[in-house]
Amino acid sequence: MEQHDWPAEYAELTAADRRAPLPPADLDRLAVAAFVLGHDDEVATYRERAYEEHLARGDVVAAIQSGFWLGFQLQQHGELARAAGWQARIERLVPEDLPQLGGLVAMANAALLMNSGDAAAALPLFEQNMGWATEPDAIALAALGRGNCLNMLGRGAEALKALDEAMVHVTAGQVRPEVTGMAYCSVIALCMDLYDIRRAQEWTQALTGWCDQQSGLVPYRGACLVHRAHILQLRGAWTDAAGAAEDACQRLPAGTVGPAWYRLAEVERQRGHHQAAERAYLAAAADGMDVQPGLALLRALQGRGDLAIAGLERALAEDALSPNRPMLLAARVEVAVQLGDRETARKAAAELNQLARADAPYLQALAAYCEGAVRIACGDPQGAIPLLRRAWTLWQRLDMPYEGAHTRLLVAQACRALGDLDAEQMELDGARTVFERLGAVVDLAALETGRSGGLSQRELEVLRLLATGATNRAVAEQLFLSERTVARHVSNIFAKLGVNSRAAATAYAYENGLAG
């Protein structure tokens, strides 16, 4: 991949333009350099000048191409009305003996339809254009448009194939930077929507390499950092992930920075930095992003289960087809299990299992993990272990240590319930090693209190009071809870510890340093 020095090219061309007006071909080059360097207010001016100069010289083909790329730039910035005006302007110039230029205009129309939300009308236009397109830019744009339309229509697998076709030209270095960056971001976003983590990792690495080769690049750099932060977080490189997310928060403008703040919040939540996580979630929400399920998981860690449930239920009811639904369901399982609501946990796990496609190892692992958690909560530790072993194996293949460590905690619970204390300790030791390496301070704190049995902070508080001989009413009064909530916590504690009486729970608390 060849390094391109955009600042030098921009400086050279602007200096030349000050000495004497640039010819139209150089104005087109200058427009590209201005775009790459983030001088968005200049791009349209240079494109318009190029268009007028091409027309003045009688080069209609070049004028149409300049007008097309001007419309492309305007669409990317959401100026659809202005883009439509330029489209109508260049459409009148298309000669009858050059149908490929008519196709270029048709593709601009397809993009307008797509960006306006009418993917069904745009799709056939992109497909037609793929038939006539001969230049890499046109082929890549047609394939990108087709892929994005298919994704909007819920045809994710077909969309990914279309985007793969576009990437053949992109990775060959045959496509201009405006299209290249958009292609990388589109394919990575789709991979993440489809939970194809491996492919997302590969494309993110490729995008990072491309960005590094574009000296002075501003567009796509922030989006690249968000994708990179997500992949680093999944791999357990939390310090690097936080750094990438923070950098993205500085680079991205208002209206697009929400995903960067959300990613930073997710990293901070896993690191146990709850105040920092809350600030980042609020910043993401202020930018218009839905911060579930991350905020709900934070609320659960804070012992505010009512808020966690309300947030998750609202998000689940809002969009039944959201790509984020599996993550919402997994969080709903976790919160329900913590609160002893087995029926809700069972229903959410069942729906998640239906969404876990065979070609998505991440979803398979998530579904197996949640089903294992539900089985433990429902008193079936023996049935949970094969599911959890499968989940752990998949997490290992995906290089996701934090999820793997949490799975081992559940295996430890199951082993404890079955009386296999040696296996329980080995699983806990394995999880502890990972948490120490990652710097997961909250998870380590839970382990350092002894064999916590996977109890939440609130459940540990209830158990400590039970160990003093307190009744449910006394526990409720001391913790400012209802007796019904305390009864649910007690039932959940019994299920997690594999005991069936208050006396047995009390003995467990004293044996494992959880009392007092």
Side-chain angles (χ1 to χ4, degrees):
M1 189 182 299
E2 184 179 349
Q3 178 83 30
H4 198 114
D5 191 345
W6 293 105
E9 183 161 333
Y10 176 82
E12 177 185 342
L13 290 170
T14 52
D17 194 42
R18 285 193 294 269
R19 292 191 296 269
L22 288 173
D26 284 343
L27 286 170
D28 284 324
R29 288 176 55 208
L30 182 52
V32 174
F35 168 83
V36 170
L37 298 178
H39 304 316
D40 294 333
D41 54 336
E42 300 176 14
V43 175
T45 299
Y46 293 135
R47 289 289 187 196
E48 289 178 10
R49 285 177 56 193
Y51 171 85
E52 297 293 348
E53 283 297 316
H54 283 308
L55 277 186
R57 299 179 182 211
D59 193 343
V60 174
V61 172
I64 291 172
Q65 291 173 335
S66 291
F68 172 84
W69 289 111
L70 173 54
F72 174 90
Q73 171 77 4
L74 294 171
Q75 286 200 50
Q76 295 305 301
H77 284 79
E79 299 184 56
L80 301 186
R82 191 176 170 196
W86 270 96
Q87 180 183 329
R89 191 171 182 181
I90 63 175
E91 191 170 0
R92 291 194 298 269
L93 298 177
V94 177
E96 294 183 1
D97 59 341
L98 290 175
Q100 67 271 26
L101 290 178
L104 197 65
V105 173
M107 188 153 60
N109 182 52
L112 277 172
L113 290 169
M114 178 184 71
N115 290 327
S116 300
D118 194 351
L123 179 59
L125 294 177
F126 281 122
E127 290 177 335
Q128 291 170 15
N129 289 330
M130 290 186 70
W132 61 259
T134 57
E135 296 183 355
D137 284 327
I139 297 172
L141 278 176
L144 278 173
R146 180 172 180 269
N148 285 323
C149 286
L150 288 169
N151 186 41
M152 292 168 67
L153 295 170
R155 296 158 63 180
E158 295 176 74
L160 201 51
K161 289 182 180 179
L163 292 180
D164 280 344
E165 183 175 351
M167 297 308 294
V168 170
H169 301 280
V170 170
T171 55
Q174 301 172 334
V175 178
R176 62 175 60 215
E178 302 101 305
V179 180
T180 297
M182 183 177 68
Y184 273 120
C185 290
S186 294
V187 73
I188 294 169
L190 180 56
C191 287
M192 295 306 293
D193 282 352
L194 296 177
Y195 296 91
D196 191 340
I197 305 301
R198 280 296 187 197
R199 191 178 296 194
Q201 289 175 339
E202 292 172 4
W203 284 127
T204 299
Q205 184 176 2
L207 172 58
T208 301
W210 177 76
C211 288
D212 290 343
Q213 292 296 319
Q214 312 301 312
S215 178
L217 179 71
V218 173
Y220 311 121
R221 178 73 75 176
C224 173
L225 286 166
V226 174
H227 294 314
R228 180 169 171 75
H230 196 171
I231 297 302
L232 288 169
Q233 179 193 0
L234 294 178
R235 289 182 172 177
W238 291 347
T239 300
D240 292 340
E246 289 168 349
D247 195 358
C249 290
Q250 297 299 317
R251 290 176 179 270
L252 290 168
T256 66
V257 73
W261 281 114
Y262 183 79
R263 189 51 45 203
L264 179 60
E266 289 286 89
V267 176
E268 297 293 20
R269 174 176 60 80
Q270 288 189 337
R271 291 206 292 186
H273 303 164
H274 292 171
Q275 291 184 345
E278 178 138 6
R279 288 194 298 270
Y281 282 128
L282 292 176
D287 198 59
M289 184 171 182
D290 191 340
V291 291
Q292 298 298 352
L295 182 59
L297 294 173
L298 178 63
R299 292 290 181 247
L301 288 170
Q302 295 168 334
R304 304 169 71 181
D306 54 339
L307 291 179
I309 292 170
L312 290 171
E313 291 294 339
R314 189 270 310 159
L316 284 165
E318 195 165 307
D319 184 2
L321 299 178
S322 169
N324 198 38
R325 192 168 187 82
M327 303 305 297
L328 292 168
L329 289 168
R332 193 66 186 92
V333 170
E334 182 173 336
V335 174
V337 167
Q338 286 181 9
L339 297 178
D341 186 355
R342 300 184 185 93
E343 186 57 30
T344 296
R346 187 184 295 111
K347 288 180 179 178
E351 183 181 347
L352 176 56
N353 193 55
Q354 292 177 345
L355 297 176
R357 305 185 318 276
D359 63 344
Y362 180 92
L363 290 181
Q364 291 282 316
L366 195 63
Y369 173 87
C370 288
E371 179 62 24
V374 170
R375 292 207 181 196
I376 292 174
C378 293
D380 182 18
Q382 191 70 62
I385 288 179
L387 290 162
L388 296 171
R389 297 290 190 200
R390 170 170 164 71
W392 184 82
T393 298
L394 291 170
W395 294 136
Q396 291 295 102
R397 291 175 182 172
L398 291 169
D399 193 17
M400 296 175 62
Y402 185 69
E403 289 75 8
H406 268 274
T407 303
R408 297 194 75 171
L409 291 182
L410 285 183
V411 175
Q413 286 184 44
C415 291
R416 172 72 183 185
L418 294 169
D420 190 348
L421 302 187
D422 286 336
E424 178 202 18
Q425 191 59 51
M426 286 187 284
E427 296 297 335
L428 290 176
D429 289 343
R432 180 181 291 106
T433 298
V434 174
F435 290 147
E436 288 173 347
R437 176 166 58 84
L438 295 177
V441 293
V442 170
D443 298 287
L444 280 172
L447 284 174
E448 287 167 1
T449 62
R451 290 172 173 166
S452 65
L455 301 182
S456 69
Q457 188 61 43
R458 178 63 81 184
E459 288 163 353
L460 286 170
E461 291 172 351
V462 172
L463 178 60
R464 290 188 185 103
L465 291 173
L466 289 182
T468 69
T471 64
N472 282 9
R473 175 174 293 183
V475 172
E477 290 175 353
Q478 188 155 342
L479 296 180
F480 302 101
L481 300 172
S482 69
E483 284 192 59
R484 177 177 294 182
T485 298
V486 171
R488 189 169 64 239
H489 282 313
V490 171
S491 177
N492 200 35
I493 289 168
F494 286 1
K496 287 186 176 182
L497 300 185
V499 300
N500 54 18
S501 70
R502 298 167 76 92
T506 297
Y508 182 97
Y510 278 101
E511 289 170 5
N512 294 281
L514 301 178

